[in-house]
Coordinates of all heavy atoms in Angstrom, one line a residue:
M67 N 12.2 -14.3 20.2 CA 11.4 -15.2 19.4 C 10.9 -14.5 18.1 O 10.5 -13.4 18.1 CB 10.2 -15.7 20.2 CG 9.5 -16.8 19.5 SD 8.3 -17.7 20.6 CE 7.0 -16.6 20.6
T68 N 11.1 -15.2 17.0 CA 10.7 -14.7 15.8 C 9.4 -15.3 15.2 O 9.4 -16.6 15.2 CB 11.8 -14.8 14.7 OG1 13.0 -14.1 15.2 CG2 11.4 -14.2 13.4
T69 N 8.4 -14.6 14.9 CA 7.3 -15.2 14.3 C 7.1 -14.7 12.9 O 7.5 -13.6 12.5 CB 6.0 -14.9 15.1 OG1 5.9 -13.4 15.2 CG2 6.0 -15.4 16.4
T70 N 6.7 -15.6 12.1 CA 6.4 -15.3 10.7 C 5.0 -14.6 10.6 O 4.0 -15.1 11.0 CB 6.4 -16.5 9.7 OG1 7.7 -17.1 9.9 CG2 6.1 -16.1 8.3
T71 N 5.0 -13.4 10.0 CA 3.8 -12.7 9.9 C 3.7 -11.9 8.6 O 4.8 -11.6 7.9 CB 3.6 -11.7 11.0 OG1 2.4 -10.9 10.8 CG2 4.9 -10.7 11.0
L72 N 2.5 -11.7 8.1 CA 2.3 -11.0 6.9 C 2.3 -9.5 7.2 O 2.4 -8.7 6.2 CB 1.0 -11.4 6.2 CG 1.0 -12.9 5.7 CD1 -0.3 -13.2 5.1 CD2 2.0 -13.0 4.6
T73 N 2.3 -9.1 8.4 CA 2.1 -7.7 8.7 C 3.4 -7.0 8.4 O 4.5 -7.5 8.8 CB 1.8 -7.5 10.2 OG1 0.5 -8.2 10.5 CG2 1.6 -6.0 10.6
R74 N 3.3 -5.9 7.8 CA 4.5 -5.1 7.4 C 4.6 -3.9 8.3 O 3.6 -3.5 9.0 CB 4.5 -4.7 6.0 CG 4.2 -5.9 5.1 CD 4.9 -5.8 3.9 NE 4.7 -7.0 3.0 CZ 5.4 -7.3 1.9 NH1 6.2 -6.4 1.4 NH2 5.1 -8.4 1.3
P75 N 5.7 -3.2 8.4 CA 5.9 -2.2 9.2 C 4.9 -1.0 8.8 O 4.5 -0.9 7.7 CB 7.3 -1.5 9.0 CG 8.0 -2.8 8.5 CD 7.0 -3.6 7.8
E76 N 4.5 -0.2 9.9 CA 3.5 0.8 9.6 C 4.1 1.8 8.6 O 5.3 2.0 8.5 CB 3.3 1.6 10.9 CG 2.5 0.8 11.9 CD 1.1 0.6 11.6 OE1 0.5 1.5 11.1 OE2 0.6 -0.5 11.8
L77 N 3.2 2.4 7.8 CA 3.5 3.5 7.0 C 4.1 4.7 7.8 O 3.6 4.9 8.8 CB 2.4 3.9 6.1 CG 2.1 2.9 5.1 CD1 0.8 3.3 4.4 CD2 3.1 2.6 4.0
T78 N 5.1 5.4 7.4 CA 5.6 6.5 8.0 C 5.6 7.7 7.1 O 5.4 7.6 5.9 CB 7.0 6.2 8.6 OG1 7.8 6.3 7.4 CG2 7.1 4.9 9.3
A79 N 6.0 8.8 7.6 CA 6.1 10.1 6.9 C 7.1 9.9 5.7 O 7.1 10.8 4.8 CB 6.3 11.2 7.7
A80 N 8.0 9.0 5.9 CA 9.1 8.8 4.9 C 8.6 8.2 3.7 O 9.3 8.0 2.6 CB 10.3 8.1 5.5
D81 N 7.5 7.3 3.8 CA 6.9 6.6 2.7 C 6.1 7.5 1.8 O 5.3 8.2 2.2 CB 6.0 5.5 3.3 CG 6.7 4.4 4.0 OD1 7.8 4.0 3.4 OD2 6.4 4.1 5.1
R82 N 6.5 7.4 0.5 CA 5.8 8.3 -0.5 C 5.1 7.6 -1.6 O 5.5 6.5 -1.9 CB 7.2 9.2 -1.2 CG 7.8 10.0 -0.2 CD 7.0 11.2 0.2 NE 7.5 11.8 1.5 CZ 6.9 12.8 2.0 NH1 5.8 13.4 1.5 NH2 7.4 13.3 3.1
C83 N 4.0 8.3 -2.1 CA 3.3 7.7 -3.1 C 4.2 7.4 -4.3 O 5.1 8.3 -4.7 CB 2.2 8.7 -3.5 SG 1.3 8.1 -4.9
D84 N 4.1 6.2 -5.0 CA 4.9 5.9 -6.1 C 4.5 6.7 -7.4 O 5.3 6.8 -8.3 CB 4.8 4.4 -6.4 CG 5.4 3.5 -5.4 OD1 6.4 4.0 -4.7 OD2 5.1 2.4 -5.3
R85 N 3.4 7.3 -7.3 CA 2.9 8.0 -8.5 C 3.2 9.6 -8.4 O 3.4 10.1 -9.3 CB 1.4 7.9 -8.6 CG 1.0 6.4 -8.9 CD 1.4 6.0 -10.4 NE 0.9 4.7 -10.8 CZ 1.8 3.7 -10.7 NH1 3.0 3.8 -10.1 NH2 1.4 2.5 -11.1
C86 N 3.0 10.2 -7.2 CA 3.1 11.6 -7.2 C 4.1 12.1 -6.2 O 4.3 13.3 -6.1 CB 1.8 12.2 -7.0 SG 0.9 12.0 -5.4
G87 N 4.6 11.2 -5.2 CA 5.5 11.7 -4.3 C 4.9 12.2 -3.0 O 5.6 12.7 -2.0
A88 N 3.5 12.3 -2.9 CA 2.9 12.7 -1.7 C 3.0 11.7 -0.6 O 3.4 10.6 -0.9 CB 1.3 13.0 -2.0
A89 N 2.7 12.1 0.6 CA 2.9 11.0 1.7 C 2.0 9.9 1.4 O 0.8 10.0 1.1 CB 2.5 11.7 3.1
A90 N 2.5 8.8 1.6 CA 1.8 7.5 1.3 C 0.8 7.2 2.4 O 1.1 7.4 3.7 CB 2.7 6.3 1.2
Q91 N -0.5 6.8 2.0 CA -1.5 6.4 3.0 C -1.9 5.0 2.9 O -2.5 4.4 3.7 CB -2.7 7.3 2.9 CG -2.4 8.7 3.2 CD -3.5 9.7 3.2 OE1 -4.6 9.1 2.9 NE2 -3.3 11.0 3.3
V92 N -1.5 4.4 1.8 CA -2.0 3.0 1.5 C -0.8 2.2 0.9 O -0.2 2.7 0.0 CB -3.2 3.0 0.6 CG1 -3.6 1.6 0.1 CG2 -4.4 3.7 1.2
R93 N -0.6 1.0 1.4 CA 0.4 0.1 0.8 C -0.4 -1.0 0.1 O -1.2 -1.6 0.7 CB 1.4 -0.5 1.9 CG 2.2 -1.5 1.4 CD 3.0 -2.3 2.4 NE 4.0 -1.5 3.1 CZ 4.1 -1.2 4.4 NH1 3.1 -1.5 5.2 NH2 5.1 -0.5 4.9
A94 N 0.0 -1.2 -1.2 CA -0.7 -2.3 -1.8 C 0.4 -3.5 -2.0 O 1.4 -3.2 -2.5 CB -1.1 -1.9 -3.3
V95 N 0.1 -4.6 -1.4 CA 1.0 -5.8 -1.4 C 0.5 -6.7 -2.5 O -0.6 -7.2 -2.5 CB 1.1 -6.4 0.0 CG1 2.1 -7.7 -0.2 CG2 1.5 -5.5 1.0
L96 N 1.4 -7.0 -3.4 CA 1.1 -7.8 -4.6 C 1.3 -9.2 -4.3 O 2.1 -9.6 -3.5 CB 1.8 -7.4 -5.8 CG 1.8 -5.9 -6.3 CD1 2.7 -5.5 -7.4 CD2 0.3 -5.6 -6.6
P97 N 0.6 -10.1 -4.9 CA 0.7 -11.6 -4.7 C 2.2 -12.0 -5.0 O 2.6 -12.9 -4.4 CB -0.3 -12.2 -5.7 CG -1.3 -11.1 -5.9 CD -0.6 -9.9 -5.9
S98 N 2.9 -11.3 -5.9 CA 4.2 -11.6 -6.2 C 5.2 -11.2 -5.1 O 6.4 -11.6 -5.2 CB 4.6 -10.9 -7.6 OG 4.6 -9.5 -7.3
G99 N 4.6 -10.5 -4.1 CA 5.6 -10.1 -3.1 C 6.1 -8.7 -3.2 O 6.6 -8.0 -2.2
G100 N 5.8 -8.0 -4.3 CA 6.1 -6.7 -4.5 C 5.1 -5.7 -3.9 O 4.1 -6.2 -3.4
E101 N 5.4 -4.5 -3.6 CA 4.6 -3.7 -2.9 C 4.6 -2.2 -3.6 O 5.6 -1.9 -4.1 CB 4.8 -3.6 -1.5 CG 6.1 -3.0 -1.1 CD 6.3 -2.9 0.4 OE1 5.9 -3.9 1.1 OE2 6.6 -1.9 0.9
L102 N 3.5 -1.6 -3.6 CA 3.3 -0.2 -4.1 C 2.7 0.6 -3.0 O 2.0 0.2 -2.1 CB 2.5 -0.2 -5.3 CG 2.8 -1.1 -6.5 CD1 1.8 -1.2 -7.5 CD2 4.2 -0.4 -7.2
L103 N 3.3 2.0 -3.1 CA 2.8 2.8 -2.0 C 2.0 3.9 -2.8 O 2.3 4.4 -3.8 CB 3.9 3.5 -1.3 CG 4.8 2.6 -0.5 CD1 5.9 3.3 0.1 CD2 3.9 1.9 0.6
F104 N 0.8 4.3 -2.2 CA -0.1 5.3 -2.7 C -0.6 6.3 -1.8 O -0.8 6.0 -0.7 CB -1.3 4.6 -3.3 CG -0.9 3.7 -4.6 CD1 -1.1 2.3 -4.4 CD2 -0.6 4.3 -5.8 CE1 -0.9 1.5 -5.6 CE2 -0.3 3.3 -6.9 CZ -0.3 2.0 -6.7
C105 N -0.7 7.6 -2.2 CA -1.4 8.5 -1.4 C -2.9 8.2 -1.5 O -3.4 7.3 -2.2 CB -1.1 9.9 -1.8 SG -1.8 10.3 -3.6
G106 N -3.7 8.9 -0.7 CA -5.1 8.5 -0.7 C -5.8 8.8 -2.0 O -6.6 7.9 -2.4
H107 N -5.4 9.8 -2.7 CA -6.0 10.0 -4.1 C -5.5 8.9 -5.0 O -6.5 8.3 -5.8 CB -5.3 11.3 -4.7 CG -5.7 11.6 -6.1 ND1 -6.9 12.1 -6.5 CD2 -5.0 11.4 -7.2 CE1 -6.9 12.1 -7.8 NE2 -5.7 11.6 -8.3
H108 N -4.3 8.5 -5.1 CA -3.9 7.4 -6.0 C -4.4 6.1 -5.6 O -4.6 5.1 -6.3 CB -2.4 7.4 -6.3 CG -2.1 8.6 -7.3 ND1 -1.4 9.7 -6.9 CD2 -2.4 8.7 -8.6 CE1 -1.2 10.5 -7.9 NE2 -1.9 9.9 -9.0
A109 N -4.6 5.9 -4.2 CA -5.1 4.6 -3.7 C -6.5 4.4 -4.3 O -6.9 3.3 -4.8 CB -5.1 4.6 -2.3
R110 N -7.3 5.5 -4.3 CA -8.6 5.3 -4.8 C -8.7 5.2 -6.3 O -9.4 4.4 -6.9 CB -9.5 6.6 -4.5 CG -10.1 6.6 -3.0 CD -11.0 7.7 -2.8 NE -10.4 9.0 -2.8 CZ -9.8 9.7 -1.8 NH1 -9.7 9.0 -0.6 NH2 -9.1 10.8 -2.0
A111 N -7.7 5.9 -6.9 CA -7.7 5.9 -8.4 C -7.3 4.4 -9.0 O -7.8 4.0 -9.9 CB -6.6 6.8 -9.0
H112 N -6.4 3.8 -8.2 CA -5.9 2.4 -8.6 C -6.6 1.2 -7.8 O -6.3 0.1 -8.1 CB -4.4 2.3 -8.5 CG -3.7 3.3 -9.3 ND1 -3.7 3.1 -10.6 CD2 -3.1 4.5 -9.1 CE1 -2.9 4.1 -11.2 NE2 -2.6 5.0 -10.3
E113 N -7.5 1.5 -6.8 CA -7.9 0.5 -6.0 C -8.6 -0.7 -6.8 O -8.4 -1.8 -6.5 CB -8.9 1.1 -5.0 CG -9.5 0.0 -4.1 CD -10.3 0.6 -2.9 OE1 -10.4 1.9 -2.9 OE2 -10.7 -0.3 -2.1
E114 N -9.4 -0.4 -7.8 CA -10.1 -1.3 -8.4 C -9.2 -2.3 -9.2 O -9.3 -3.5 -9.2 CB -11.2 -0.6 -9.5 CG -12.1 -1.7 -10.1 CD -13.2 -1.0 -10.8 OE1 -13.6 0.1 -10.6 OE2 -13.6 -1.5 -11.8
R115 N -8.2 -1.7 -9.9 CA -7.2 -2.4 -10.6 C -6.4 -3.4 -9.7 O -6.0 -4.5 -10.0 CB -6.3 -1.6 -11.4 CG -5.5 -2.2 -12.5 CD -5.2 -1.4 -13.6 NE -4.2 -0.3 -13.3 CZ -2.9 -0.4 -13.4 NH1 -2.4 -1.6 -13.8 NH2 -2.2 0.6 -13.0
L116 N -5.9 -2.8 -8.5 CA -5.2 -3.5 -7.6 C -6.0 -4.7 -7.1 O -5.4 -5.7 -6.9 CB -4.8 -2.5 -6.4 CG -3.7 -1.5 -6.8 CD1 -3.6 -0.5 -5.7 CD2 -2.4 -2.1 -7.0
R117 N -7.2 -4.5 -6.8 CA -8.1 -5.6 -6.2 C -8.1 -6.7 -7.3 O -8.2 -7.9 -7.1 CB -9.4 -5.1 -5.8 CG -9.3 -4.3 -4.6 CD -10.7 -4.1 -3.9 NE -10.6 -3.1 -2.7 CZ -10.2 -3.5 -1.6 NH1 -9.7 -4.6 -1.4 NH2 -10.2 -2.6 -0.6
A118 N -8.2 -6.3 -8.6 CA -8.3 -7.2 -9.7 C -7.1 -8.1 -9.8 O -7.1 -9.1 -10.3 CB -8.5 -6.5 -11.0
M119 N -6.0 -7.4 -9.4 CA -4.7 -8.2 -9.3 C -4.5 -9.0 -8.0 O -3.4 -9.6 -7.8 CB -3.5 -7.2 -9.4 CG -3.4 -6.5 -10.8 SD -2.3 -5.0 -10.7 CE -0.9 -5.7 -10.2
S120 N -5.6 -9.0 -7.1 CA -5.5 -9.6 -5.9 C -4.4 -9.1 -5.0 O -3.8 -9.7 -4.2 CB -5.1 -11.2 -6.1 OG -6.1 -11.8 -6.8
A121 N -4.2 -7.7 -5.1 CA -3.4 -7.1 -4.2 C -4.0 -6.9 -2.9 O -5.2 -6.8 -2.8 CB -2.9 -5.7 -4.7
E122 N -3.3 -6.9 -1.8 CA -3.8 -6.7 -0.4 C -3.5 -5.2 -0.1 O -2.4 -4.7 -0.1 CB -3.2 -7.5 0.6 CG -3.6 -7.2 2.0 CD -2.9 -8.0 3.0 OE1 -2.1 -8.9 2.7 OE2 -3.1 -7.7 4.2
L123 N -4.6 -4.4 0.2 CA -4.4 -3.0 0.5 C -4.3 -2.8 2.0 O -5.3 -3.3 2.7 CB -5.6 -2.2 0.0 CG -5.9 -2.3 -1.6 CD1 -6.9 -1.4 -2.1 CD2 -4.5 -1.9 -2.3
Q124 N -3.3 -2.2 2.4 CA -3.1 -1.9 3.8 C -3.1 -0.4 4.1 O -2.3 0.3 3.4 CB -1.8 -2.5 4.4 CG -1.7 -4.1 4.1 CD -0.3 -4.5 4.4 OE1 0.6 -3.8 4.6 NE2 -0.2 -5.9 4.5
K125 N -4.0 0.0 4.8 CA -4.1 1.5 5.1 C -3.6 1.9 6.4 O -3.8 1.4 7.3 CB -5.7 2.0 4.9 CG -6.3 1.5 3.7 CD -7.7 2.0 3.5 CE -8.1 1.6 2.1 NZ -9.6 2.1 1.8
G126 N -2.6 3.0 6.2 CA -2.0 3.5 7.4 C -3.0 4.5 8.1 O -3.9 4.9 7.5
E127 N -2.8 4.7 9.4 CA -3.7 5.5 10.1 C -3.3 7.0 10.1 O -4.0 7.8 10.5 CB -3.8 5.1 11.5 CG -4.4 3.7 11.6 CD -5.8 3.6 11.0 OE1 -6.6 4.7 11.2 OE2 -6.2 2.7 10.3
K128 N -1.9 7.2 9.6 CA -1.5 8.6 9.6 C -1.3 9.0 8.3 O -0.7 8.4 7.4 CB -0.1 8.6 10.4 CG -0.3 8.5 11.8 CD 1.0 8.5 12.7 CE 2.0 9.4 12.3 NZ 3.2 9.4 13.1
Ligands
LIG397 ZN1 -0.3 10.0 -5.3

């Protein structure tokens, strides 16, 4: 059975920050459907702007 969900796969060690290449800790999902990955540092640096764009921030636990 397939259900439609907004939940995306968990971030893994293979996911890298789009800005610096460090391990991604946060995924920002844009209203357009695009997504960006950020390390902890860049997630904080861009969080305000991402929220202004109505992006949804999803934080990985690892
Ligand atoms: Zn980074």
